[in-house]
Amino acid sequence: MKLQIFSLIALFLPLQADNRDDAYAQRKQWYNSIARHEQAYPQWRTVCDIPPDLWCDSFDAAQRCGVLHQCEQFRRSRRTIKLTLIYEALCPYCQRFIINHLGNLYHQFRGQIELELVPWGNSRLLRDGTIKCNHGEVECDANRLHGCVLDTVKVKHALPFIICFERALVGSTVEAAFQHCSGFIRHHYRTIRRCFESERGIQLQHKAAHRTMSVRPNPIVEVPYILINDYSPNTDTNNLNVFALQHLLKKWLRSIKYRF
C-alpha cells in the first residue's frame, strides 16, 4: 500500500514542476526513494508485468521493470539506428522486399538511419575457396555485382541501381540487367565492371560471407534478414513485417530524440 502511494505521488510530480527537467529530477528522486523502500521491504516490490518491447516507453515502465539505467543509456547515446539487410540476389522474398519496400523505407527515414546491404544470404564458402550460391551461378554473379556496386558508391547511390537491377533480373540475365540499370551508376560503370570481372569481386564476396556468418547472437537461417545495430533478433521477430518495422523505427528514433 505504501509503495502504491509513493507511485501515485511520483506520477503527479511533473504537474508541480516548473519545467520538464525539474519534473524529471523530482520523479527520479521519488523513484529512488521507492527503490530504497523496496530493498527494505521486499514483499512490497513492484512486479514487472509489462512486455519487454514496452520497457523504455516511459519512465514508469523502465523503473517498474528495473531497466531505467539501460533505457537512459540508449536515449543518451544519440546513436543512429543502423539497419543491415542480409539478402541474396535471386531469393524471391528478398527481391520482393527490395523492389517493393526497401526504397520507400530508406527515403522515409533518410538521415535518421544508416543502411548496410550485405549480398550473401545462404551462399556457402567452400573449403577450396569457391562459392556455391543458393540459386546457382547466376545468383553468384548477381551477388558479386552488388558487392562491387556497394564497394564503389555510397549506399544512397547504390540503392536505386540495386532496386532497378532486382526488378530487371526477373526473367533476364545478369548482364542484361546490368546494362539496363547502368544509368544509375554511369560515372562509376567502368570501375564497377573491372571489380566485377576481377579478383576484387571475389574478395568482396568473402567479406560479405564473413559479415553474415559472424552475426550474434542468432545465426542467419533464412533471408531476407535484418540486423538492428548489428544485433541479430531471433527468426520469430525477423519476418520483415514492413509496417511493424516502420512502427519500431519511429518508436526507437523518438526514444533517442526525447527524454522521458
Side-chain angles (χ1 to χ4, degrees), residues 44-255:
W44 291 345
R45 185 168 296 162
T46 305
V47 176
C48 175
D49 55 358
I50 302 171
D53 287 348
L54 304 177
W55 283 358
C56 291
D57 271 9
S58 68
F59 190 104
D60 307 273
Q63 180 70 32
R64 183 172 176 177
C65 294
V67 293
L68 183 60
H69 177 67
Q70 290 83 352
C71 293
E72 277 294 290
Q73 278 189 322
F74 177 71
R75 291 172 186 274
R76 289 173 181 170
S77 69
R78 302 288 179 180
R79 180 182 176 184
T80 302
I81 299 294
K82 179 182 177 182
L83 293 186
T84 301
L85 175 65
I86 296 176
Y87 68 100
E88 51 197 38
L90 279 180
C91 160
Y93 302 103
C94 299
Q95 289 180 312
R96 192 177 307 148
F97 177 74
I98 291 171
I99 293 170
N100 297 330
H101 303 295
L102 185 58
N104 292 334
L105 193 67
Y106 179 72
H107 287 293
Q108 181 180 353
F109 296 100
R110 190 169 184 174
Q112 302 178 75
I113 64 171
E114 175 188 350
L115 180 63
E116 177 189 21
L117 302 178
V118 183
W120 180 259
N122 289 315
S123 302
R124 288 181 293 157
L125 188 59
L126 305 182
R127 290 185 178 182
D128 61 1
T130 58
I131 297 171
K132 186 175 180 62
C133 295
N134 204 32
H135 298 89
E137 286 299 318
V138 175
E139 183 170 73
C140 284
D141 291 343
N143 286 346
R144 188 167 74 254
L145 178 59
H146 283 206
C148 288
V149 172
L150 291 163
D151 184 61
T152 305
V153 301
K154 294 181 178 180
V155 71
K156 65 180 180 180
H157 300 304
L159 187 57
F161 171 85
I162 289 174
I163 293 172
C164 173
F165 180 88
E166 286 297 298
R167 185 179 289 114
L169 190 59
V170 178
S172 184
T173 65
V174 170
E175 183 60 33
F178 188 12
Q179 294 299 329
H180 178 75
C181 301
S182 60
F184 289 103
I185 42 92
R186 58 184 178 275
H187 298 303
H188 304 277
Y189 178 84
R190 291 183 179 178
T191 303
I192 293 169
R193 169 68 73 178
R194 282 196 299 270
C195 170
F196 176 60
E197 295 176 348
S198 69
E199 185 64 23
R200 177 60 179 164
I202 302 297
Q203 292 171 354
L204 291 172
Q205 278 293 277
H206 286 201
K207 183 178 178 181
H210 177 75
R211 177 76 176 101
T212 302
M213 292 184 287
S214 63
V215 301
R216 296 290 183 274
N218 298 294
I220 307 300
V221 294
E222 57 186 26
V223 289
Y225 195 98
I226 279 191
L227 309 182
I228 310 295
N229 284 353
D230 296 322
Y231 171 81
S232 60
N234 65 55
T235 52
D236 292 337
T237 56
N238 205 288
N239 59 6
L240 281 186
N241 182 312
V242 177
F243 298 107
L245 184 58
Q246 289 174 328
H247 171 74
L248 287 171
L249 283 171
K250 288 178 182 178
K251 176 179 175 179
W252 293 332
L253 291 167
R254 188 170 58 248
S255 295

